[in-house]
């Protein structure tokens, strides 16, 4: 594997508006993904919002209950390209999660030079559902987003509040054999943007602002089990960990849980984490990260996350899940003889305990305040 990281935000921002069709293969999937954490009385929770374009290859794929075509990795390439996608989104109003506020399969058009992505479908009743993203560069980097669905809508803008590396887009390019055609990941990660917008759901209409996480990611490998979380604290500090893993969860197709000792029989396939200190502006990376799910009695798991480095930096967080959203991703293979299933779960989480130290200094919630965020706990396989 060959890995490169580009911190130049001008290069990374331009890469948001390409799909890298030249890298794609039979297993590719891609996402333009927004996670919005609005400012609230208790920090940045419990309200939370997610909107995305979810796309993958395949002649027959399904997102939740809707069968549709996937995109063709051998389609025509150029500065303007089209591909099949599904526009989806949910809104947690602080008490309830309104899933599939937006859920619309549509043909997407991506324009590199205009920095624009749109996908809309007009229904028989004359209403159009889908989304548009429009990029803009002036004195800052920004994306204007407009999502419209049958159950609600979201119109918001994200932008960089500063030039710290976590506040601007970064490009991470990991390529396997044959220049990435045989495996790899191309990721634009914008880890801490500012946002403001207006959102509607069955609970009503609301104007919110706060911090956002955004990524445009292309995966050229089958979708495999992973944990990914991001936590935002009251003072603006940020923690995130990504742990791909193997375990019995790889063969679990539906939404249920094993006994706890089986849930924790996990073999991590690597694991990375970082903590961004909003006060100092410094970001600390950890050499190792692990995630352990725990039952909590309300059909959602709690989580323990540990991260550490050889120099003695370490952090431990305990999370309580307070809500959940789910996407089931299916794909028919072997001439429709088999249907693979990937169970993509997003748990809205609250930090209930935190201990650690960085550069010998203690790190805890008395220093940085309450923490809220999201934990992805995915299982199954999507070949």
């Amino acid at each position: 594997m060959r890995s490169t990281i580009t911190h130049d935000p001008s290069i990374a921002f331009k890469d948001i508006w390409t799909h890298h069709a030249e890298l794609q293969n039979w297993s590719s999937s891609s996402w333009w993904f927004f996670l919005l954490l609005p400012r609230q009385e208790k920090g940045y929770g419990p309200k939370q919002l997610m909107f995305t374009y979810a796309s993958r290859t395949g002649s027959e794929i399904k997102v939740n209950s809707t069968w549709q075509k996937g995109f063709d990795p051998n389609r025509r390439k150029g500065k303007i390209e089209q591909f099949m996608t599904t526009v989806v989104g949910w809104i947690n109003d602080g008490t309830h999660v309104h899933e599939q506020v937006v859920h619309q399969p549509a043909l997407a058009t991506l324009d590199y030079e205009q920095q624009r992505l749109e996908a809309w479908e007009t229904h028989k009743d004359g209403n159009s559902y889908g989304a548009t993203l429009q990029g803009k560069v002036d004195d800052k980097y920004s994306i204007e987003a407009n999502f419209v669905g049958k159950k609600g809508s979201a119109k918001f803008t994200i932008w960089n509040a500063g030039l710290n590396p976590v506040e601007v887009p970064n490009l991470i390019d990991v390529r396997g054999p044959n220049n990435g055609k045989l495996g790899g990941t191309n990721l634009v990660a914008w880890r801490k943007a500012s946002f403001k917008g207006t959102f509607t759901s069955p609970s009503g209409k609301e104007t919110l602002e706060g911090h956002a996480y955004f990524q445009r990611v292309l995966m050229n490998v089958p979708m495999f089990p992973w944990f990914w979380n991001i936590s935002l604290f009251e003072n603006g500090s940020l923690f995130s960990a990504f742990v791909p893993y193997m375990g019995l969860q790889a063969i679990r197709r539906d939404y249920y849980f094993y006994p706890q000792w089986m849930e924790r029989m996990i073999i991590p396939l690597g694991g990375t984490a970082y903590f961004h200190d909003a006060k100092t502006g410094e970001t600390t990376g950890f050499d190792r990260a692990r995630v352990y799910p725990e039952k909590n009695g309300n059909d959602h798991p709690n989580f323990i996350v540990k991260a550490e480095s050889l120099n003695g930096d370490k952090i431990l967080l305990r999370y309580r899940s307070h809500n959940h959203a789910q996407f089931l991703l299916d794909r028919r293979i072997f001439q429709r003889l088999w249907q693979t299933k990937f169970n993509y779960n997003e748990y809205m989480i609250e930090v209930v305990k935190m201990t650690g130290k960085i550069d010998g200094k203690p790190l805890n919630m008395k220093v940085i305040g309450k923490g809220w965020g999201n934990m992805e706990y995915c299982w199954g396989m999507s070949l």
Side-chain angles (χ1 to χ4, degrees):
M1 289 283 184
R2 175 170 55 88
S3 178
T4 59
I5 301 176
T6 303
H7 295 294
D8 186 333
S10 63
I11 295 174
F13 189 81
K14 288 180 181 178
D15 212 71
I16 291 172
W17 313 103
T18 182
H19 203 198
H20 288 290
E22 75 281 1
L23 299 178
Q24 293 168 9
N25 59 30
W26 64 271
S27 66
S28 296
S29 58
S30 63
W31 311 75
W32 280 259
F33 172 88
F34 297 87
L35 181 68
L36 308 179
L37 300 169
R39 180 75 186 179
Q40 294 150 75
E41 291 182 4
K42 299 180 180 180
Y44 292 89
K47 294 178 182 179
Q48 193 174 133
L49 312 94
M50 190 285 298
F51 298 92
T52 187
Y53 289 69
S55 317
R56 73 155 305 169
T57 58
S59 58
E60 291 181 284
I61 64 172
K62 183 169 72 169
V63 181
N64 286 349
S65 60
T66 304
W67 283 102
Q68 64 187 76
K69 290 183 179 180
F71 63 77
D72 180 1
N74 299 313
R75 66 193 179 278
R76 183 176 63 85
K77 303 172 180 64
K79 292 187 176 181
I80 298 178
E81 62 169 285
Q82 292 186 311
F83 57 92
M84 286 302 300
T85 191
T86 305
V87 179
V88 294
W90 51 257
I91 292 176
N92 176 3
D93 64 12
T95 303
H96 302 288
V97 178
H98 304 287
E99 296 193 70
Q100 300 189 64
V101 166
V102 183
H103 186 118
Q104 182 59 60
L107 180 66
T109 299
L110 178 61
D111 190 321
Y112 176 78
E113 292 188 341
Q114 296 298 318
Q115 298 187 341
R116 185 177 180 88
L117 172 63
E118 55 186 345
W120 294 88
E121 184 72 19
T122 301
H123 290 232
K124 293 181 179 179
D125 60 7
N127 291 320
S128 294
Y129 302 111
T132 297
L133 307 182
Q134 178 65 64
K136 186 178 181 181
V137 180
D138 42 32
D139 59 333
K140 58 183 180 295
Y141 301 95
S142 65
I143 299 175
E144 296 178 351
N146 183 28
F147 287 78
V148 179
K150 291 184 178 180
K151 298 181 181 179
S153 64
K155 191 171 185 178
F156 59 92
T157 301
I158 70 168
W159 69 92
N160 65 298
L163 293 176
N164 188 288
V166 303
E167 297 173 319
V168 294
N170 291 253
L171 173 61
I172 301 98
D173 190 31
V174 181
R175 299 194 183 188
N178 194 19
N179 197 32
K181 288 284 286 186
L182 298 179
T185 301
N186 183 277
L187 167 68
V188 177
W190 195 345
R191 292 172 285 180
K192 189 183 175 186
S194 296
F195 90 88
K196 184 174 183 179
T198 302
F199 307 88
T200 61
S201 73
S203 65
K205 183 177 182 180
E206 197 167 12
T207 297
L208 301 169
E209 58 184 300
H211 289 300
Y213 175 90
F214 169 79
Q215 68 180 20
R216 193 279 295 143
V217 59
L218 169 66
M219 295 174 54
N220 291 320
V221 294
M223 297 184 72
F224 51 85
W226 72 69
F227 296 98
W228 174 81
N229 89 285
I230 191 163
S231 311
L232 183 63
F233 294 86
E234 278 185 89
N235 77 338
S237 294
L238 197 67
F239 174 80
S240 181
F242 175 66
V243 182
Y245 71 93
M246 289 301 296
L248 294 174
Q249 291 91 337
I251 61 174
R252 181 166 62 196
R253 294 174 62 86
D254 298 317
Y255 189 81
Y256 63 90
F257 297 98
Y258 300 132
Q260 183 158 303
W261 65 272
M262 294 175 65
E263 286 287 329
R264 298 182 68 165
M265 287 179 59
I266 288 171
I267 301 174
L269 304 177
T272 59
Y274 66 85
F275 175 79
H276 171 70
D277 189 321
K279 184 176 180 180
T280 66
E282 297 294 323
T283 300
T284 301
F286 296 91
D287 301 322
R288 171 178 168 173
R290 298 291 183 265
V291 180
Y292 304 96
E294 292 187 330
K295 288 189 174 181
N296 70 359
N298 67 354
D299 295 327
H300 304 328
N302 289 338
F303 300 94
I304 298 173
V305 180
K306 296 180 180 180
E308 57 189 0
S309 292
L310 296 176
N311 65 1
D313 292 341
K314 61 183 179 179
I315 190 170
L316 182 148
L317 301 105
R318 288 184 177 271
Y319 293 102
R320 177 187 68 87
S321 296
H322 60 89
N323 247 316
H324 168 240
Q326 179 189 54
F327 295 99
L328 299 175
L329 307 175
D330 296 66
R331 186 186 187 201
R332 286 174 174 155
I333 60 175
F334 302 138
Q335 299 296 317
R336 305 181 75 174
L337 293 176
W338 183 251
Q339 184 173 312
T340 67
K341 185 180 289 290
F342 188 74
N343 210 305
Y344 175 86
N345 298 284
E346 296 176 288
Y347 295 95
M348 286 125 264
I349 52 176
E350 177 186 8
V351 181
V352 294
K353 182 179 180 180
M354 176 184 184
T355 59
K357 63 176 182 177
I358 293 177
D359 291 333
K361 299 178 181 179
L363 182 65
N364 54 58
M365 294 167 66
K366 291 182 179 179
V367 176
I368 60 177
K370 291 181 176 292
W372 302 83
N374 188 285
M375 173 72 75
E376 295 180 354
Y377 181 17
C378 304
W379 59 76
M381 294 286 288
S382 184
L383 302 177

